[in-house]
Amino acid sequence: MPEGLAELHVHIEGTLEPELIFILAERNGIALPYRDLDDLRSRYAFDDLQSFLDLYYANMAVLRTAEDFADLARAYFARAARAGVTRAEFFFDPQAHTARGVAVHEVVAGLSDAVAGARREFGIDAAMIASIVRDRPVPEAHEVFGELLRLGAPIIGLGLDSAEVGYPPSLFEDVFARARAEGLHVTAHAGEEGPPEYVWQALDLLGAERIDHGIRSLEDPALVARLVDERIPLTVCPFSNVRLRAVDSLAEHPLRRMLAEGLAVSVHSDDPAYFGGYVDDNLVGLTDALGLTEAEREVLRRNSWDAAFL
Ligand code: ADE
Ligand code: ZN
């Protein structure tokens, strides 16, 4: 097994730190609706997934050019290297950018530039996963996926994210079939706020090789048995679950129960700029709150490598 950690559940747009928001706004001549950094930071208190997504998408207004995306990803890699990350499979949301007039090629050019430099500059083997924004129209998902293929975007997989409840995986069966036919890996957010049924659909209809979050799978014993039997990885993000109120507190996080059930769980950061920390912070937080042992942390690390698309 390689050294370090494999970070498998991080949205690159969710690594956009407040300081960089102000720097990019200045560079691009964008007037922010915040007085200053403190005013922006005061808005990082969320009631649920949607209240977070509203701010997450609004802040992306500062990302305009390939250079902006490259700077965003480079800043993330610098921080991830300090967290001990040596493999980073990160999501990006093409539709969040095309919907506001930024071309896919700007996004892909900037991110792939940073990916190319990640090994040399930070010792990180990085890879991109395009994610379908599930609360946008289904035909748009097909258009954007087609555009990624036309550009020859160096993606390793297709994901599914954004507002979960009311947007079941079944809507996206066809676009994921296309992705699989292209030889891409498939992963999907499911069972974060949505029901266990969405996890079943991600597996059976999308062909998901891993499930992002999946914490609500615990409500369905037959689903747990399936996930254990097939060793389907679940990429769990504890700080995110607490900040988006899927879980009441870190001390009540079901991670230990998931490990005890034999689920292939690993720990990740989701949107670290918004949820109070990167993958190392999540592991320290869990260690303090749940009393995770060194041996349990090693299991989580090993699971992260088993789940990587390598
Ligand atoms: N996009 C960014 N973070 C997300 C999350 N936690 N759930 C769904 N979509 C997201
Ligand atoms: Zn996520």
Side-chain angles (χ1 to χ4, degrees):
M1 187 175 36
E3 300 275 292
L5 289 167
E7 169 59 284
L8 310 175
H9 186 163
V10 61
H11 303 262
I12 202 69
E13 298 92 341
T15 72
L16 180 55
E17 292 284 351
E19 292 80 0
L20 188 55
I21 291 175
F22 275 83
I23 290 168
L24 296 180
E26 168 95 35
R27 178 155 98 193
N28 290 326
I30 291 165
L32 288 172
Y34 318 120
R35 277 189 312 279
D36 52 28
L37 274 172
D38 283 343
D39 181 28
L40 171 56
R41 288 205 186 96
S42 74
R43 302 174 194 232
Y44 285 41
F46 310 113
D47 298 321
D48 54 17
L49 176 56
Q50 189 61 57
S51 63
F52 153 70
L53 290 170
D54 292 343
L55 185 68
Y56 166 80
Y57 290 125
N59 285 341
M60 289 181 204
V62 301
L63 296 166
R64 305 289 322 173
T65 66
E67 186 189 8
D68 300 336
F69 286 94
D71 287 350
L72 170 67
R74 242 180 256 119
Y76 168 65
F77 296 140
R79 177 63 183 84
R82 284 190 274 126
V85 171
T86 53
R87 165 88 178 164
E89 297 177 6
F90 66 87
F91 295 115
F92 68 108
D93 287 328
Q95 292 157 275
H97 310 303
T98 55
R100 55 191 181 78
V102 175
V104 183
H105 73 79
E106 290 285 331
V107 180
V108 169
L111 295 178
S112 53
D113 209 40
V115 163
R119 186 188 302 274
R120 187 171 19 90
E121 288 177 64
F122 306 108
I124 293 178
D125 171 29
M128 293 156 55
I129 300 176
S131 198
I132 299 298
V133 177
R134 68 204 298 165
D135 51 345
R136 296 196 56 85
V138 174
E140 186 184 277
H142 280 275
E143 282 158 30
V144 163
F145 182 65
E147 178 66 5
L148 288 164
L149 293 182
R150 270 191 298 283
L151 289 170
I155 56 174
I156 61 160
L158 192 67
L160 181 68
D161 67 10
S162 201
E164 186 182 8
V165 176
Y167 303 94
S170 57
L171 292 169
F172 300 96
E173 216 177 324
D174 293 348
V175 70
F176 279 85
R178 279 177 78 193
R180 290 199 317 276
E182 292 291 336
L184 292 170
H185 289 290
V186 167
T187 182
H189 284 56
E192 177 185 19
E193 282 190 347
E197 169 60 18
Y198 287 15
V199 178
W200 286 106
Q201 287 187 13
L203 298 173
D204 292 334
L205 304 181
L206 306 188
E209 295 161 76
R210 58 189 192 218
I211 297 292
D212 299 306
H213 295 294
I215 56 173
R216 288 196 58 193
S217 303
L218 287 171
E219 296 168 25
D220 181 344
L223 177 58
V224 170
R226 162 95 181 266
L227 294 166
V228 170
D229 281 353
E230 295 184 16
R231 257 200 95 65
I232 307 283
L234 304 180
T235 63
V236 174
C237 306
F239 279 15
S240 168
N241 297 149
V242 173
R243 294 293 279 265
L244 301 186
R245 307 204 189 180
V247 169
D248 287 338
S249 69
L250 218 46
E252 290 155 280
H253 197 280
L255 182 92
R256 185 134 314 91
R257 210 181 122 206
M258 297 174 91
L259 279 170
E261 295 272 6
L263 290 162
V265 288
S266 50
V267 167
H268 306 285
S269 64
D270 211 7
D271 302 284
Y274 289 88
F275 300 149
Y278 288 74
V279 64
D280 51 340
D281 303 312
N282 273 265
L283 286 164
V284 168
L286 278 177
T287 298
D288 292 346
L290 299 181
L292 277 192
T293 64
E294 177 73 39
E296 285 170 319
R297 286 197 300 272
E298 186 58 19
V299 168
L300 294 169
R301 190 177 85 81
R302 190 178 336 117
N303 288 349
S304 78
W305 285 105
D306 288 347
F309 292 146
L310 284 166

